[in-house]
Amino acid sequence: MTRALKFAVCSCLLAAGLLAPQMGLSKVFSLTIKATTPGPQQLLLRGGAQVEANLPKGYRLAMLPLGDRLTYMFMGPDDKNGEHAVLSVDVLPETAKLSSSKSVFDQVFRAYSTGSSDFKTTPAKPLTVNGVKLEKAGFGGSMEGGRSSGFAVVTRLKQGFCVMVARDKESDFKKSEAIMMSIVNSCKFKTQ
């Protein structure tokens, strides 16, 4: 597993409160590649939430089992260093601390900004994807020894908050952002 992917997974787990900050990237994960063929993919998320999303050409869809649920990762092609863009998809349960899109963004960005001296977030216009409203924000800065950029989108479902976080090296983000946004824009939420 690449450092970028471990960082993305750890950040998702930190945001969900499922990984202690001191564990960081030393934790080893077991990803399973679910699909490499482009086209619609069914994602079964926490609490029975289902999302259908298109896997772009050249991307892989991985699953990470986490107790009673799966986190999905759309992973772009590897560069010469084995690094790639990652879009994670998960559902975080609503709690007293996670009761709004803003609180979800705050928790996700707190995890991503750990150790960064120049982490910045930028609110973006909300999206409507197949009738579902998604809040969006961008982020960027020094992360895991390099410069990264990304975005997060959040929508409330009956099961909690569906969170999608995209990240890539800053130098590659313009290209991968369009592809990862095409994944988000392809989403069909089956259970709300």
Side-chain angles (χ1 to χ4, degrees):
M1 182 184 301
T2 66
R3 282 185 352 182
L5 185 55
K6 283 183 184 177
F7 184 79
V9 170
C10 288
S11 297
C12 289
L13 297 176
L14 283 167
L18 298 173
L19 181 66
Q22 65 273 20
M23 293 173 81
L25 297 179
S26 63
K27 187 77 174 166
V28 177
F29 300 101
S30 173
L31 285 178
T32 303
I33 301 297
K34 178 181 185 225
T36 57
T37 305
Q41 302 294 321
Q42 300 297 321
L43 313 181
L44 181 58
L45 300 164
R46 180 192 300 266
Q50 295 178 40
V51 177
E52 179 183 294
N54 284 327
L55 180 63
K57 183 178 180 180
Y59 271 60
R60 298 157 287 173
L61 178 60
M63 301 181 306
L64 174 66
L66 298 170
D68 65 341
R69 71 184 215 278
L70 294 171
T71 294
Y72 291 88
M73 307 265 178
F74 290 84
M75 302 182 310
D78 290 348
D79 67 12
K80 66 180 187 234
N81 299 318
E83 302 289 326
H84 47 258
V86 176
L87 171 73
S88 63
V89 182
D90 202 349
V91 170
L92 302 179
E94 185 170 352
T95 65
K97 287 185 178 183
L98 294 177
S99 58
S100 67
S101 293
K102 182 188 179 323
S103 62
V104 172
F105 281 128
D106 289 347
Q107 188 155 344
V108 167
F109 292 148
R110 192 169 29 257
Y112 273 82
S113 67
T114 301
S116 176
S117 61
D118 64 348
F119 187 86
K120 302 239 186 300
T121 61
T122 310
K125 286 179 23 179
L127 313 165
T128 300
V129 175
N130 292 312
V132 176
K133 183 179 176 190
L134 298 123
E135 300 295 328
K136 182 180 179 191
F139 64 90
S142 297
M143 295 175 244
E144 182 66 15
R147 300 214 39 92
S148 294
S149 294
F151 66 83
V153 294
V154 175
T155 190
R156 185 187 297 260
L157 303 174
K158 163 172 80 172
Q159 296 83 356
F161 293 93
C162 182
V163 181
M164 296 179 228
V165 182
R167 177 178 178 257
D168 200 356
K169 291 186 301 189
E170 189 175 76
S171 59
D172 296 340
F173 186 65
K174 281 283 187 213
K175 179 180 176 186
S176 62
E177 179 182 24
I179 297 168
M180 292 189 286
M181 275 307 301
S182 76
I183 297 169
V184 171
N185 286 323
S186 75
C187 287
K188 295 178 183 164
F189 297 88
K190 307 273 184 176
T191 306
Q192 291 187 31

